Amino acid sequence: MREQDARERACNFREVSLGYSKEEALREAERCLQCPDEPCVRGCPVNIDIPAFIDKITAKNFRGAYDVITDTNLLPAVCGRVCPQESQCEGVCTVGDTLEPVAIGRLERFVGDMAIAEGWINRPYVEPSGFRVAIVGSGPAGMACAADMAKAGCEVVVYEAFHEPGGVLKYGIPDFRLPNAVVDVEIEKLRALGVRFECNTLVGRLFTVEDLLDTMEYDAVFVGTGAGYPSFMGIPGESLNGVLSANELLTRCNLMRARDFPQFDTPLQAGTRVAVIGAGNTAMDALRVSLRLGAQAVHCIYRRGKAEAPARAEELHHAAEEGVEFHWLTNPVAILGDGENRVRGLRCQRMELGEPDASGRRRPVAVEGSDFEFECDSVVFAIGTNANPILGQTSDLALDPRGYIATDAALATSLFGVWAGGDIVTGAATVIEAMGAGRKAARGMKAWLGLRDTDSVYAERPLERMLGLPPGEHGHARLRAG
Amino acid sequence: MPLEQPTVFPIVARDDFTDVTFMLEIRHPAMARAARAGQFVIVMDSEHGERIPLTLADFDVDRGTITLVIQAVGKTTREMQQKCVVGSHLFAVTGPMGIPSRIGDAKKVVCVGGGLGVAPAFPQARAHARNGAFVIGVIGYRNRQLMFWEDRFRSVCDEVRVCTDDGSAGIRGMVTEGLRHAIAAHPDIDEVIAIGPPIMMKACAEVTRPLGIRTVVSLNPVMVDGTGMCGGCRVKIGDGIKFACVDGPDFDAHRVDFDDLMARLGRFRPSEQAALHKWAETCRMHDAAVPEDRC
């Protein structure tokens, strides 16, 4: 896939990966073996029928490919860009046993982008079921749940605390990886399904989860508020000016457009020598955003080795290409101040890997007497998040010992009629896992409300595909003439 | 019935207390109903604006409004001072945020408001009064010309002590003077609430610390989302780190590290000054192009 040149792109916020051309997509689709046991489908958290959509691409039926993907995944343009395919579909691809696996993610993105360019939308005709569903949080979990419930004929309202919808897709993932414009298109598709977004609404404080059911007359509620309470390490110097969480850096830059200060009012004191602690996807985003904001040197500090880094392979690769310096097996022990409350450096120690810990990764152990210092003027923590406390403070939702919302296997919470999914249940995970959770919760809600699944019935498909089938077979969906 | 969330936030009343301090009353019936003393909102004046936290100065269920008192000090607040007239609206108002103040079983309470802090101290004084407490208001200003809301305090407090730095009204001196007078007159004070600039809250904490009087302060650090997501508002409380937006904004004054708070409040000062400077430039250019009364 074509990419912007590393040196050039490190100075702008335009997308890094330029996407497949039609010819490239056709060539890549040819590589799929269409193997009968379909390991890729099982490797996908939402079980997209991958061989089927690739087959459609090979047949140059791009609209057909889009229809196949959107049977199970509402947001191909998003997921094709941000899924960790190497540990999902592509990781189990049969071709990958001997060669490079089929680039499923890039093909998915190709189809998603074509749908945006062509204005395709698969809008089912839905017969109103009379049920009302409230979704708390407009990130990937909430969007996926909203789509499924809207397709099932429910009146769906999504509440968002920020001033615009999209959650982590907007505030977290930077434009060079997932342009906010792509997210907006996907949100428009939800609106076309009849989903309503209510921004500037902090559920828990403006009204409670219980109010949604009791006084606001919703029949079911889905909570997908994300994890969002960033962790710090508790080392000396964390309150110095120049120390911030990756969430703060990314939100200021992406959602609030601090990168365009002072045309936009939100400031961001970008460092010239930046140290980012952590090596997950958020850390990569923080590193690469810092470069684009003009930092001269950007360091990634991680206490384990490269093999243990949780970031997608492509993000690590892109970051290295753009000039990020990696310091593996390095643990910060103190942030050093300049005497005027600003950061002047970081003291670290070397680590070595010991026995595996609870996560199955080898536990890093400090090497005695290996302390060293290096110069930096900004330190960004990207070491994960804790559970956001607001709904715990304001509702009777049962929480697990770590403060996340407790659910059963079907994602039902302790409150009758309330489901939850995504990072607020599992702790920080991926976009596609959150979407999978949103859909799983929707299945539970539909069963509970007595609704039949209407996922795969679209009005705008070729008519002959639907002819001969009694309308009753389609649950609450009806074929719209014309 | 389902509550409709407003998509615009109309300004229904405005009162200018001084040439830098002004009050906005904003229609938001759902928030007027939900709000409690001690909570705050996040406001954006325009699509390009920043998110600024402002503690609620009042909320009125009958009128369906919330009230904010704002000091025009930076680019955003000065722009609001110009733009926010009755009939206009704000781009975004989110809240109420934060944990409401604990209106406990205190029988005698001192509510200290310093400068702009007089406004958010008012709902607390009223809540304690409604809870049956004997409420002493201590309100401080630099001088008589900057005074506002003395009438509101008198309407809910059993006793009000006004302080001015120059002695042009009430006691000459800072609010700590007023607080000391109140404590001297009332040996049975259960709780002190102090809201104002960090240096003032710190001074109040030092007045009550040796006496062991429970003291609560409302912190207003720099925030972005106000929902616990960014950690920008983290403050040192005792040995721990708390986020003012979701763990506060009220904290035990005797455990707050005010020096840390003050140092962190200045972290965007260079950008803030650049923004203000650029904005002032634009206004001057605007002034030259159109009649003065338009700007």
Side-chain angles (χ1 to χ4, degrees), chain A residues 456-459 461-470 474 479:
Chain A
S456 50
V457 183
Y458 295 107
R461 276 197 178 166
L463 276 177
E464 57 270 33
R465 287 193 55 173
M466 305 293 294
L467 292 176
L469 296 174
H474 306 301
L479 187 63

Side-chain angles (χ1 to χ4, degrees), chain B residues 215-237:
Chain B
T215 303
V216 177
V217 288
S218 174
L219 305 186
N220 193 4
V222 175
M223 292 185 188
V224 184
D225 56 295
T227 62
M229 207 267 305
C230 82
C233 65
R234 62 192 190 278
V235 287
K236 268 193 198 162
I237 309 292

Side-chain angles (χ1 to χ4, degrees), chain A residues 21 58 75 86 141 267 269 285 473:
Chain A
S21 65
T58 318
L75 312 171
E86 69 268 19
Q269 216 80 55
D285 289 344
E473 288 296 305

Side-chain angles (χ1 to χ4, degrees), chain A residues 11 33 41 72 120 123 130 139 180 212 242 270 286 294 332-333 335 371 392 419 429 438:
Chain A
C11 308
L33 298 176
V41 180
T72 45
W120 295 338
R123 180 160 45 186
N180 276 356
L212 287 166
V333 291
I335 302 164
D371 283 24
W419 280 258

Side-chain angles (χ1 to χ4, degrees), chain A residues 174-244:
Chain A
D175 273 31
F176 55 83
R177 210 145 75 71
L178 173 65
N180 276 356
V182 170
V183 183
D184 284 329
V185 171
E186 306 291 8
I187 287 165
E188 279 314 308
K189 285 187 195 160
L190 285 177
R191 288 207 171 101
L193 277 176
V195 175
R196 215 166 79 229
F197 288 89
E198 298 270 3
C199 293
N200 299 305
T201 306
L202 181 60
V203 177
R205 292 290 173 202
L206 190 60
F207 43 78
T208 64
V209 170
E210 284 89 340
D211 287 340
L212 287 166
L213 292 165
D214 298 342
T215 59
M216 296 166 74
E217 298 176 349
Y218 286 103
D219 299 294
V221 175
F222 173 75
V223 177
T225 50
Y229 188 100
S231 303
F232 292 86
M233 290 178 73
I235 58 177
E238 281 181 359
S239 55
L240 290 168
N241 291 338
V243 181
L244 68 170

